[in-house]
Amino acid sequence: MGSGHVRQYSGFFSIGQRIADVLVLCGVRFAAWLFYVGTWSDQDTIVSGVAALCFLVTAEVNGVYRGWRGAPLRQELRVVLWTWLLTIPWVLGFMFAAKIAGEVSRAATGLWFVGGCVGLMVARSLKNTLLGWLRVSGRNSRVAGIIGVTPAAKRLYDELQDPSHGIIVTGIYDSRNEARVQEHLGTLQLVGSIDDALEAARLGKLDLVYIALPFRAESRIAGVVAALADTTATVQLVTDFSGFDLLRARWVSVGTVPTVALFDSPFSGVSGVIKRLEDLVLGTLFLMMASPVMIGVALAIKVTCGGPIFFAQTRYGLNGKAIRVLKFCSMRGKGDDGPNVKQATKDDDRITPIGRFLRSSSLDELPQLFNVILGSMSLVGPRPHAVAHNELFRSLIHGYMLRHKVKPGITGWAQVNGLRGETETIEKMRARVEYDLQYIENWDLRWDLEIILRTVFRVWRDKNAY
């Protein structure tokens, strides 16, 4: 088996994780009570015990203590955070049923809930750092073999060369001769046939077996799986979707039928709740801060132009549904809701004198904070385009409409990378779409905050807005 010395203690390590979580939750509560209350009673001990028990049960259901080898840390942290958030209502329900909710310090309880979240994530980060060190030093490694010479097998082999995974790959096995598989084999060498891999697994020489045969070899895959059932090796099927353009691809289940979502939104489940809370909290804060400026802009428009202050544009929102987006009036004419849309250019005579300043400083976008709070837009996301442009570019740019898997944003990843304003060529629009899809594929809350900060610092010196 593997050369890792930690393997024989994996059971103790698993128990240790559970004990560490209990100590973190109880320790944070104890610290919060000492800070705010100054005393500790038997009642506090009972509540802490109930919270720990509820967390452990919920964690088992959510798979918190499964093996996370090879998975990114953020994925594990997301599951741990969701588990703690699910635990909190159970704890509050117990306190209410036991008629002690009114006797408990609200400030200390709030500090406990927040501190528990932080403590659990810090503990997980430290655990991963320790495991990473053990794997790099060879004390927690596994021996693996890859069956099948395919592009997916090559990518997997390259990925597993990272010592932090703690997986030692003996090589690639395939029953075809080397000349037939040389196209995908490259500089790698076959170490044996599929039968050799099966025999190594039977003899306990492989801890992990990755089956990377092409999907069309269904009968061969079934035969390999059946043979590996006579071993103690962990078996994983390598799915190769390299021929598809994926967006937040993930495994889902329809009843008992497993399926793969090829195109999906990042804002489902807890991520959607976090994104909406971000929009509500920050959107309300920004609206309060911007209110004096917005009042001043409204008065300036009325005095200098005499026309309407606001203009509502039709745009595609989430899932391609039409929404009305608010802006301060900055141009003469009927806007860009018609079939023939002309984007604003540098010396566009439709732009009013004050409108030029509003557009260059992005102050004309401030009313969209109302869209954010009402839920049709987000603070960060792909910028909404005119309907006519959507219909044009969806036929010219592959994957264009995937931008609408999320709500449009006041600012976005493309905008802070210089792709703001006029897109006079299809290459510029294609680049903007690529940035938008990159954002959707890799979204996390920290990225949103970074984009907002970069927008604030960039908006006053952006020369592409007019």
Side-chain angles (χ1 to χ4, degrees), residues 2-4 7 69-70 131-144 159-169 207-208 210:
S3 60
R7 182 185 178 93
R69 183 187 294 265
L131 286 178
W133 176 78
L134 291 172
R135 289 165 183 167
V136 170
S137 63
R139 294 178 173 86
N140 184 25
S141 58
R142 302 288 186 272
V143 177
E159 178 66 34
L160 292 178
Q161 299 312 299
D162 183 347
S164 65
H165 292 309
I167 297 176
I168 302 171
V169 182
D207 301 314
L208 291 163
Y210 295 99

Side-chain angles (χ1 to χ4, degrees), residues 53-96:
L53 179 61
C54 290
F55 179 84
L56 290 176
V57 172
T58 308
E60 294 294 342
V61 173
N62 286 349
V64 169
Y65 301 114
R66 71 175 178 84
W68 291 93
R69 183 187 294 265
L73 175 60
R74 64 177 181 274
Q75 182 178 341
E76 182 179 359
L77 294 180
R78 189 180 299 120
V79 175
V80 172
L81 173 61
W82 180 234
T83 300
W84 179 231
L85 292 177
L86 288 175
T87 302
I88 290 175
W90 289 103
V91 176
L92 294 175
F94 169 78
M95 293 166 60
F96 178 79

Side-chain angles (χ1 to χ4, degrees), residues 139-398:
R139 294 178 173 86
N140 184 25
S141 58
R142 302 288 186 272
V143 177
I146 301 174
I147 294 179
V149 176
T150 59
K154 177 65 167 61
R155 291 195 301 273
L156 176 64
Y157 181 90
D158 292 340
E159 178 66 34
L160 292 178
Q161 299 312 299
D162 183 347
S164 65
H165 292 309
I167 297 176
I168 302 171
V169 182
T170 59
I172 297 181
Y173 300 82
D174 201 307
S175 294
R176 296 171 292 177
N177 61 57
E178 190 167 339
R180 290 185 60 193
V181 299
Q182 190 60 48
E183 176 186 356
H184 301 309
L185 195 60
T187 58
L188 302 179
Q189 296 294 320
L190 288 173
V191 295
S193 65
I194 294 178
D195 288 337
D196 293 329
L198 298 177
E199 183 63 21
R202 290 191 194 97
L203 296 176
K205 296 180 180 179
L206 296 177
D207 301 314
L208 291 163
V209 176
Y210 295 99
I211 302 176
L213 295 169
F215 281 171
R216 62 180 177 271
E218 181 181 353
S219 60
R220 194 151 46 123
I221 292 174
V224 172
V225 171
L228 289 171
D230 189 36
T231 74
T232 59
T234 297
V235 181
Q236 296 186 21
L237 181 64
V238 181
T239 54
D240 186 9
F241 295 108
S242 58
F244 301 91
D245 293 325
L246 306 180
L247 187 73
R248 304 294 298 200
R250 60 189 179 91
W251 287 100
V252 295
S253 295
V254 181
T256 59
V257 180
T259 64
V260 178
L262 301 182
F263 303 140
D264 204 356
S265 168
F267 305 126
S268 57
V270 67
S271 296
V273 175
I274 293 173
K275 180 70 168 176
R276 185 61 184 139
L277 286 175
E278 172 197 347
D279 287 338
L280 285 173
V281 173
L282 294 183
T284 302
L285 177 63
F286 292 154
L287 182 60
M288 293 172 61
M289 295 170 60
S291 293
V293 177
M294 293 175 67
I295 293 172
V297 170
L299 292 173
I301 293 174
K302 200 64 179 177
V303 169
T304 59
C305 302
I309 296 172
F310 298 104
F311 177 68
Q313 300 171 314
T314 300
R315 296 288 186 262
Y316 281 172
L318 180 64
N319 295 323
K321 302 292 179 61
I323 62 173
R324 299 292 284 173
V325 175
L326 283 176
K327 294 183 70 173
F328 280 125
C329 282
S330 60
M331 300 179 68
R332 304 179 185 90
K334 297 182 180 179
D336 59 2
D337 282 349
N340 299 311
V341 177
K342 178 186 176 183
Q343 286 184 306
T345 58
K346 187 172 184 179
D347 298 313
D348 201 317
D349 58 7
R350 296 173 300 166
I351 302 176
T352 64
I354 190 171
R356 194 168 302 281
F357 168 72
L358 295 178
R359 295 175 71 88
S360 65
S361 61
S362 293
L363 292 178
D364 65 321
E365 310 282 358
L366 287 178
Q368 291 170 27
L369 289 170
F370 291 111
N371 288 100
V372 172
I373 294 172
L374 293 175
S376 60
M377 290 183 65
S378 182
L379 286 173
V380 182
R383 282 293 297 155
H385 298 153
V387 171
H389 287 152
N390 275 316
E391 297 304 319
L392 170 64
F393 288 114
R394 71 188 300 177
S395 62
L396 299 176
I397 300 176
H398 179 69

Side-chain angles (χ1 to χ4, degrees), residues 5-20:
H5 306 304
V6 178
R7 182 185 178 93
Q8 57 185 317
Y9 304 110
S10 58
F12 294 103
F13 189 79
S14 179
I15 294 174
Q17 288 186 79
R18 292 165 171 82
I19 294 174

